[in-house]
Amino acid sequence: MRAHSRAAALLGPLTRLLRGVRWYLREISGTADYERYCRRHEERHPGEPVPTRRDYERHLTRHREANPQGRCC
């Protein structure tokens, strides 16, 4: 029982750590942005097909090129 309780005590923090790493990787890779875009698209355009990730990236690139933002570097 004692080993089980130690394992359970470590499982909570380890799970939180892994969830945090997963969240971080999804944010920096753009996966989370695409999923948010898909949800918004489905809400605003019900019944229309959701653009593929590749189409989303193209749209994003065109938008950034047409609307440049000031950058410090």
Side-chain angles (χ1 to χ4, degrees):
M1 285 288 248
R2 184 175 255 166
H4 175 60
S5 61
R6 273 189 243 145
L10 290 175
L11 191 58
L14 180 60
T15 301
R16 282 194 303 275
L17 173 67
L18 292 174
R19 283 183 182 154
V21 169
R22 180 179 180 267
W23 172 85
Y24 179 75
L25 293 174
R26 289 171 44 78
E27 290 294 325
I28 64 171
S29 71
T31 300
D33 289 336
Y34 175 66
E35 289 176 0
R36 283 189 287 268
Y37 173 79
C38 289
R39 282 193 303 271
R40 242 185 347 262
H41 182 82
E42 289 173 347
E43 290 171 3
R44 294 178 183 172
H45 309 283
E48 289 186 20
V50 177
T52 64
R53 173 80 188 248
R54 188 174 188 174
D55 291 338
Y56 166 75
E57 294 291 340
R58 286 182 187 145
H59 170 76
L60 189 61
T61 300
R62 281 192 300 258
H63 177 76
R64 286 180 178 162
E65 289 174 355
N67 303 294
Q69 303 261 335
R71 297 191 177 125
C72 67
C73 306

